[in-house]
Amino acid sequence: MHRKAHSLSFVAQLRGYRPVGLLSHPVNPGKNLGIVRTVASIVSGAKTSAQVRERLKNEVIQMKEQAPGFRPGLAILQVGDRDDSNLYISMKLKAAAEIGMNANHVKLPKTATEDEVLRKITHINEDPNVHGLIVQLPLDSINPIDVEKVTNAVSPEKDVDGFCFYLPPGESLAMGASVATASTRKASFVGVWSVAVAGEPRVVADGGDEQGDLVSAALLELQVWEIMPENEAIMSVLWTGHMGPWLKLAGSRAVVIGRSKIVGAPMRDLLVSNHATVTTCHSKTADLPGEIGRADILVVGAGKAEMVKGNWIKPGAVVIDCGINYIPDSTKPSGKRVVGDVAYNEAKEVASYITPVPGGVGPMTVCMLMANTVEGAKRYLKNCKPGKWPIQYTKLNRVEPVPSDIVISRSCTPKHISRMAKEVGLLSDEVELYGISKAKVLLSTLTRLKDQPDGKYVVVTGITPTPLGEGKSTTTIGLAQAIGAHLDINVFACVRQPSQGPTFGIKGGAAGGGYSQVIPMEEFNLHLTGDIHAITAANNLVAAAIDARMFHEATQSDKALYDRLVPSIKGVRTFSQIQLRRLQKLGINKTEPTALTEEEINRFVRLDIEPDTITWQRVMDTNDRFLRKITIGQSSTEKGYTRTAQFDITVASEIMAVLALTDSLKDMRARLGKMVVASNKKGEPVTTDDLGISGALAVLMKDAIKPNLMQTLEGTPVFVHAGPFANIAHGNSSILADKIALKLVGPAGFVVTEAGFGADIGMEKFFNIKCRYSGLCPHVVVLVATVRALKMHGGGPTVTAGVPLPKEYIEENLDLLEKGCSNLRKQIENAKLFGVSVVVAVNAFRTDTEAELELVCSLAKEMGAFDAVKCTHWAEGGQGAVELARAVQRASEQDSNFKYLYPLELPIVDKIRTIAQKIYGAADVELSPEAQNKVELYTKQGFADLPICMAKTHLSLSHMPEKKGAPTGFVLPIRDIRASVGAGFLYPLVGTMSTMPGLPTRPCFYDIDLDPETEEVNGLF
């Protein structure tokens, strides 16, 4: 926003002043014009300031009517606790409240450093609710602070004090102002040269005797200056109704006492620009009384109480007193009173006009600060619609045929991620940059935006997919691009971070595809910001702790264990905080290590883990089939303590599920401590808190908890955070990412998130687990369907990744397609069980015919979908999902009757049966003896009220991958049940579920390479 200067005529018109008793004759105080004065006329700022405040109050009311809920915001930053500063600030706060503005007094202690002050200014600069920022000077700190650096840090569009000079590009200095003047006068705020006279300026016509001499005419030329409020107020005094607009400055001799950037230096330049002859005096001036005695106009801003005596002043001079000082006065309750820099009682007997202190320049200065803030708020409303991001979208340069994903990704230059963060309303201290294309967002954002209403919440799911996937991620991104870049509505996409296992295995990347991608795709699909590596480290630390604890308990006595667990350091033994929690859990209410009995020591040091009950496995983020079953402890140093174990893939770790389901750092710390790793020999759960490791886990995860900010090809924002598997975990991105996004988009915006695999898996868990813990209510379900998947459900041949599709999938076959729509019907029914509107997105492939696409859309609507839309976002980006976006927008306006599928109080088996019958279409469930034992164990251990996270194949509604369509009447076998207590769910195992994928004969890594010249990654898709 340019801080463009305004001429007097424009601003006077803008301000809307009205006349107040103008004199009928021009007055030149140097010549007196025969006017005899015995006592000076008092030039009070109170009357004029009252008029200005009333006008500003009305303007604020108009702004509120224009934008309901909007109020101009003013921040006053103070360092220290000076009495004079407190007085000034109280005046400003009172004026702001009277006008109807939000005023915030930001007070830093005397110990504040320069960096702390600058950080606070940056924070206020970026706050869209603040339209004016005052840095109260002086900065009363015990530390050295560069005042110029601080004042120059104020954003130009919020600099109501006018400390920074800014000449918009392409504009030249105005007539009468030199480059030297511009460089020394670090000028002011955007266009608020306001003459606080209550009247339109009267300008002498060209050719008049006083052409160029009058203040009004001279100021018309003063377009480079945008006057500071203090100087604006002073010029107002020179223009007040008491002296009239005919006061000549040209040829007058003016003396300015003081050379500060706030008063002295700017006033000197203003008076010179109006053709006065100006002398600047200061502490080193040799004959100060003599200089003052020659002044027709005297402006005093020295900061010394009653320094200027009456007998120094030239008779008939105009005296402007800018000082505010305290002197002792026993008659006042406070024991002091305010005086100016001029001995007022003496000076008023000599001067023709004089400003009192208080009540002269001060009220007008405060008024001008308020006026500048109001002007800033007006500009904000004009340029930034409340609730609408000032975002610039990226234009796609599409080509045909559609290139590979990585070629498309590299054809687009992403915005610097700091710019993206600023566009969506994040403050710089809420963002941690990881290079130029990704950043982490701090959880403090939620605290700042806690009162902001949430946006609309949309979940993208799908029908039961083929092994190739049906484009949910692509649809999620395409829909977000359509809502943002094409409908110009605030939107965030929230997606999971992909595992490197599939990336280098068989599936490839997961950034979307075609012209609907998260970019850069290499960053997205590989390490990102290291969250998965943090989970790997944390998970394996737990695994190491389990085996180490078992080993030490097996090889040491109680006393030796106790001495090592609670060592004496310099003769002092103390329990750590986590050990004190274990004592409390055991019912031992002692805090002194020497006070424990032998029996209590035994209970404290012995976890007595039963090896066969250990459910915690080591993990790595690589597909490795040979780690599915291993033997550990074979080294001679482990003294024969071996056991059978396994590796899972990292995204199957419970810590990943904890990350996805937590809603704060405190909550994550608690969840990490509640994770059950095994049972002891009494059948009691052993937790990570018992192992003493949960605090260390929180440290390892402290950065991973922050959502990762990226962007789409069309410049819409994306949160990439957490990546739990959907078949063995709950398969959704993080609650925190969704919550922050919903606040950032605002009530008119949208957050589009994705649930893994089909609606029977990812969507069911999204509703029953994620929404239950987040407390969020979704507005719309987008159900992605493809012609090829529906043909498969209609009885088409098997689809195998890496093998060309059979002809049934690339030739029109309406009968096969209609038969397969039974799966679509069931998934629509599943979504509607939760009381949420369903929009079907038919993701079109180039082999689909129009008749096939139209058939799916018409059948979907007959089956109860709110709408069904053909989408071409893979080939066309957001443009190809505009109709889908409009359908989602309409559906979001429907009343939401969201509800959970089951109450948590139901017994474990009944919750499992409810999901099996209502979501999968099963006739009943059958538990193995092991599963039945787990039901009894978890009920006994107090975990029966946890929600259920079914671990089953994603390739069928049933437990049998080969059963397509919508099978019914089957009995769902429950092989085992496990507990993720920290994450907060029980997960029954349906059939055999592998938690460590293997590599195919020809993995993706055959095609992945690095160009050593360009350092570009090749082969990702």
Side-chain angles (χ1 to χ4, degrees):
M1 190 180 298
H2 296 323
R3 302 174 6 149
K4 186 176 181 181
H6 298 270
S7 65
L8 177 63
S9 59
F10 171 79
V11 180
Q13 182 179 4
L14 180 71
R15 302 274 188 185
Y17 294 120
R18 294 292 175 265
V20 178
L22 302 179
L23 293 179
S24 59
H25 298 287
V27 175
N28 186 321
K31 298 177 181 178
N32 289 322
L33 295 180
I35 298 176
V36 178
R37 293 186 178 275
T38 56
V39 178
S41 294
I42 309 304
V43 182
S44 171
K47 186 173 184 180
T48 306
S49 64
Q51 290 182 343
V52 176
R53 287 197 302 272
E54 185 62 28
R55 177 184 56 78
L56 294 175
K57 184 177 181 180
N58 291 332
E59 290 180 3
V60 170
I61 291 172
Q62 290 173 9
M63 280 189 276
K64 291 178 182 178
E65 292 173 351
Q66 175 187 344
F70 176 81
R71 292 181 77 182
L74 172 66
I76 305 172
L77 177 62
Q78 179 185 13
V79 178
D81 193 35
R82 285 176 56 118
D83 287 341
D84 53 350
S85 292
N86 291 333
L87 175 62
Y88 304 152
I89 291 169
S90 66
M91 292 167 57
K92 295 165 188 173
L93 293 174
K94 181 179 178 181
E98 180 183 335
I99 292 166
M101 295 194 296
N102 285 330
N104 181 24
H105 181 194
V106 181
K107 196 169 186 178
L108 298 179
K110 289 174 69 74
T111 56
T113 64
E114 183 177 280
D115 283 345
E116 289 172 335
V117 175
L118 291 172
R119 281 198 299 271
K120 183 60 69 173
I121 289 175
T122 299
H123 184 86
I124 298 171
N125 282 343
E126 297 171 346
D127 188 344
N129 297 312
V130 175
H131 311 103
L133 169 56
I134 298 171
V135 177
Q136 186 65 48
L137 298 180
L139 300 173
D140 183 25
S141 174
I142 61 174
N143 297 304
I145 296 179
D146 185 335
V147 175
E148 183 171 3
K149 186 176 181 180
V150 167
T151 54
N152 284 344
V154 177
S155 177
E157 57 266 29
K158 298 188 180 184
D159 183 16
V160 295
D161 252 326
F163 285 120
C164 303
F165 175 73
Y166 178 76
L167 192 64
E171 292 199 11
S172 60
L173 293 174
M175 187 184 307
S178 66
V179 175
T181 303
S183 65
T184 56
R185 161 72 169 98
K186 291 201 169 181
S188 74
F189 185 68
V190 285
V192 286
W193 161 245
S194 147
V195 181
V197 29
E200 297 288 344
R202 297 178 60 186
V203 182
V204 175
D206 289 348
D209 292 337
E210 293 159 325
Q211 180 183 5
D213 287 345
L214 301 179
V215 177
S216 55
L219 288 175
L220 283 171
E221 305 298 334
L222 193 62
Q223 295 189 13
V224 69
W225 300 126
E226 303 172 278
I227 312 304
M228 283 180 167
E230 291 84 353
N231 304 289
E232 189 174 355
I234 296 168
M235 294 304 290
S236 300
V237 169
L238 296 176
W239 188 269
T240 58
H242 298 286
M243 291 179 282
W246 308 107
L247 171 64
K248 289 183 178 178
L249 293 182
S252 296
R253 183 181 295 276
V255 170
V256 177
I257 301 179
R259 49 188 172 181
S260 72
K261 292 178 182 177
I262 301 175
V263 178
M267 277 310 304
R268 174 198 63 212
D269 293 335
L270 283 168
L271 290 166
V272 168
S273 296
N274 286 278
H275 312 298
T277 301
V278 183
T279 300
T280 300
C281 297
H282 45 74
S283 60
K284 304 298 183 183
T285 299
D287 181 16
L288 184 59
E291 296 292 349
I292 291 174
R294 289 187 285 273
D296 302 322
I297 299 170
L298 176 63
V299 179
V300 188
K304 293 185 178 181
E306 299 183 327
M307 179 189 74
V308 177
K309 308 306 179 184
N311 58 5
W312 296 3
I313 298 171
K314 179 180 179 178
V318 175
V319 179
I320 310 297
D321 190 349
C322 306
I324 298 183
N325 309 282
Y326 289 94
I327 62 172
D329 188 338
S330 59
T331 66
K332 301 292 183 182
S334 64
K336 56 189 176 182
R337 62 185 172 91
V338 177
V339 297
D341 290 352
V342 177
Y344 178 75
N345 289 331
E346 299 175 13
K348 71 179 182 180
E349 302 296 329
V350 183
S352 59
Y353 295 93
I354 188 168
T355 60
V357 177
V361 173
M364 284 308 305
T365 300
V366 172
C367 250
M368 295 305 102
L369 290 167
M370 301 303 113
N372 289 355
T373 304
V374 170
E375 292 300 322
K378 285 181 182 178
R379 277 188 304 279
Y380 176 83
L381 279 181
K382 180 180 178 181
N383 296 291
C384 304
K385 299 175 184 176
K388 177 69 186 70
W389 293 336
I391 187 170
Q392 289 186 344
Y393 298 108
T394 306
K395 182 176 175 59
L396 289 179
N397 295 311
R398 302 200 311 265
V399 297
E400 292 288 346
V402 177
S404 68
D405 290 350
I406 197 162
V407 169
I408 294 173
S409 176
R410 287 183 183 155
S411 71
C412 177
T413 301
K415 293 180 280 192
H416 196 290
I417 200 63
S418 62
R419 175 182 165 192
M420 170 60 74
K422 183 177 181 180
E423 287 179 338
V424 301
L426 289 165
L427 308 183
S428 60
D429 59 3
E430 294 171 341
V431 178
E432 295 175 349
L433 303 182
Y434 281 64
I436 63 172
S437 59
K438 54 191 176 181
K440 280 196 165 290
V441 175
L442 275 61
L443 306 190
S444 57
T445 307
L446 271 178
T447 303
R448 176 173 64 88
L449 299 175
K450 65 182 185 301
D451 297 325
Q452 165 91 307
D454 288 344
K456 302 293 180 65
Y457 199 23
V458 179
V459 60
V460 177
T461 185
I463 62 170
T464 305
T466 69
L468 305 179
E470 309 315 311
K472 289 193 312 300
S473 298
T474 305
T475 302
T476 300
I477 302 306
L479 175 57
Q481 291 180 166
I483 294 173
H486 298 272
L487 299 187
D488 197 25
I489 297 171
N490 294 354
V491 66
F492 243 103
C494 294
V495 298
R496 290 178 292 165
Q497 179 182 354
S499 165
Q500 288 181 181
T503 298
F504 289 101
I506 193 169
K507 187 174 181 289
Y515 285 103
S516 295
Q517 293 188 54
V518 181
I519 58 171
M521 68 169 295
E522 304 99 306
E523 302 282 352
F524 178 89
N525 284 307
L526 297 176
H527 305 283
L528 199 56
T529 56
D531 294 351
I532 290 181
H533 301 317
I535 292 167
T536 302
N539 184 100
N540 292 343
L541 185 61
V542 176
I546 294 169
D547 288 303
R549 186 61 176 263
M550 291 170 63
F551 173 78
H552 292 307
E553 287 188 24
T555 56
Q556 298 180 49
S557 66
D558 288 356
K559 183 179 184 304
L561 279 171
Y562 193 60
D563 288 344
R564 288 178 171 86
L565 287 171
V566 193
S568 176
I569 301 174
K570 295 181 179 181
V572 179
R573 300 181 76 175
T574 58
F575 292 116
S576 68
Q577 288 299 314
I578 202 165
Q579 289 175 328
L580 289 171
R581 286 201 298 273
R582 173 156 171 77
L583 288 171
Q584 291 172 0
K585 178 180 177 180
L586 294 172
I588 302 172
N589 297 315
K590 297 178 181 179
T591 58
E592 174 55 50
T594 58
L596 269 65
T597 65
E598 289 187 2
E599 186 270 337
E600 289 170 338
I601 289 174
N602 173 268
R603 292 168 57 206
F604 174 75
V605 301
R606 299 283 170 185
L607 297 183
D608 281 335
I609 293 173
E610 179 61 56
D612 292 341
T613 68
I614 296 173
T615 56
W616 196 271
Q617 310 299 342
R618 289 165 172 82
V619 300
M620 64 186 301
D621 196 33
T622 303
N623 291 2
D624 191 344
R625 65 177 67 246
F626 285 91
L627 294 178
R628 290 171 178 169
K629 187 174 183 179
I630 60 174
T631 301
I632 61 173
Q634 292 188 343
S635 171
S636 59
T637 56
E638 274 56 71
K639 304 178 182 180
Y641 290 96
T642 63
R643 70 180 181 90
T644 300
Q646 69 183 57
F647 268 80
D648 294 340
I649 196 161
T650 298
V651 290
S653 169
E654 183 176 352
I655 296 178
M656 176 63 88
V658 167
L659 176 66
L661 290 172
T662 192
D663 65 2
S664 68
L665 194 58
K666 181 180 179 181
D667 178 64
M668 183 180 75
R669 172 64 184 80
R671 287 175 180 268
L672 290 172
K674 290 191 294 186
M675 294 187 300
V676 175
V677 300
S679 295
N680 64 19
K681 293 174 182 178
K682 296 179 181 179
E684 298 166 336
V686 178
T687 68
T688 44
D689 243 9
D690 294 326
L691 283 168
I693 199 172
S694 53
L697 300 182
V699 170
L700 286 171
M701 294 295 293
K702 70 180 181 64
D703 291 318
I705 195 174
K706 305 165 190 172
N708 304 296
L709 178 66
M710 296 188 76
Q711 63 191 285
T712 68
L713 283 167
E714 297 192 55
T716 60
V718 181
F719 274 140
V720 184
H721 199 217
F725 268 11
N727 51 0
I728 53 180
H730 69 287
N732 286 267
S733 60
S734 77
I735 285 173
L736 279 169
D738 290 359
K739 283 192 168 185
I740 294 174
L742 285 164
K743 294 297 183 186
L744 287 170
V745 299
F750 286 82
V751 170
V752 182
T753 191
E754 176 194 352
F757 294 132
D760 56 307
I761 297 182
M763 183 198 72
E764 181 270 316
K765 296 171 184 177
F766 171 83
F767 288 138
N768 283 321
I769 299 176
K770 184 176 180 180
C771 290
R772 201 184 292 267
Y773 282 121
S774 70
L776 299 172
C777 294
H779 295 80
V780 183
V781 170
V782 174
L783 184 66
V784 179
T786 62
V787 168
R788 71 182 185 190
L790 292 171
K791 287 180 176 179
M792 179 191 69
H793 287 295
T798 300
V799 174
T800 305
V803 176
L805 287 171
K807 65 180 181 64
E808 287 86 351
Y809 297 106
I810 57 178
E811 296 177 359
E812 184 175 290
N813 190 328
L814 297 179
D815 291 339
L816 189 65
L817 177 62
E818 185 170 0
K819 185 179 178 183
C821 283
S822 60
N823 186 270
L824 177 63
R825 179 189 299 277
K826 178 56 180 168
Q827 300 291 30
I828 291 173
E829 291 173 357
N830 285 343
K832 295 185 71 174
L833 282 173
F834 296 91
V836 182
S837 297
V838 183
V839 174
V840 173
V842 185
N843 187 18
F845 287 73
R846 62 176 178 270
T847 55
D848 301 337
T849 67
E850 285 300 319
E852 289 174 326
L853 295 169
E854 179 55 38
L855 177 62
V856 176
C857 289
S858 61
L859 288 176
K861 285 183 270 193
E862 291 176 10
M863 294 169 178
F866 176 85
D867 204 350
V869 183
K870 180 186 82 170
C871 304
T872 55
H873 45 272
W874 180 82
E876 298 179 1
Q879 185 61 48
V882 167
E883 290 307 313
L884 174 62
R886 291 195 174 109
V888 167
Q889 190 177 20
R890 292 193 303 272
S892 72
E893 296 167 357
Q894 304 293 305
D895 291 335
S896 177
N897 299 306
F898 174 64
K899 57 188 177 183
Y900 303 121
L901 187 65
Y902 54 81
L904 292 179
E905 297 75 22
L906 275 182
I908 294 173
V909 175
D910 289 347
K911 286 185 281 195
I912 295 172
R913 182 178 290 111
T914 298
I915 295 171
Q917 292 177 336
K918 292 189 176 181
I919 300 296
Y920 306 153
D924 204 351
V925 296
E926 183 178 38
L927 275 66
S928 69
E930 185 176 2
Q932 188 58 53
N933 289 338
K934 290 293 182 64
V935 169
E936 296 169 3
L937 175 65
Y938 293 146
T939 301
K940 177 184 175 183
Q941 292 179 339
F943 305 145
D945 287 345
L946 293 176
I948 300 298
C949 182
M950 300 290 283
K952 81 170 190 70
T953 179
H954 61 285
L955 297 174
S956 172
L957 282 163
S958 73
H959 59 289
M960 300 167 282
E962 69 279 5
K963 294 290 185 180
K964 306 300 180 183
T968 58
F970 57 92
V971 175
L972 191 75
I974 308 300
R975 177 172 62 86
D976 194 6
I977 302 175
R978 296 176 185 170
S980 289
V981 179
F985 54 74
L986 302 177
Y987 60 103
L989 299 178
V990 181
T992 302
M993 293 297 301
S994 174
T995 53
M996 171 55 82
L999 290 172
T1001 304
R1002 192 185 189 284
C1004 296
F1005 61 64
Y1006 273 88
D1007 302 309
I1008 297 173
D1009 203 349
L1010 182 70
D1011 187 322
E1013 299 296 329
T1014 64
E1015 298 186 8
E1016 289 184 337
V1017 176
N1018 297 320
L1020 281 176
F1021 67 95

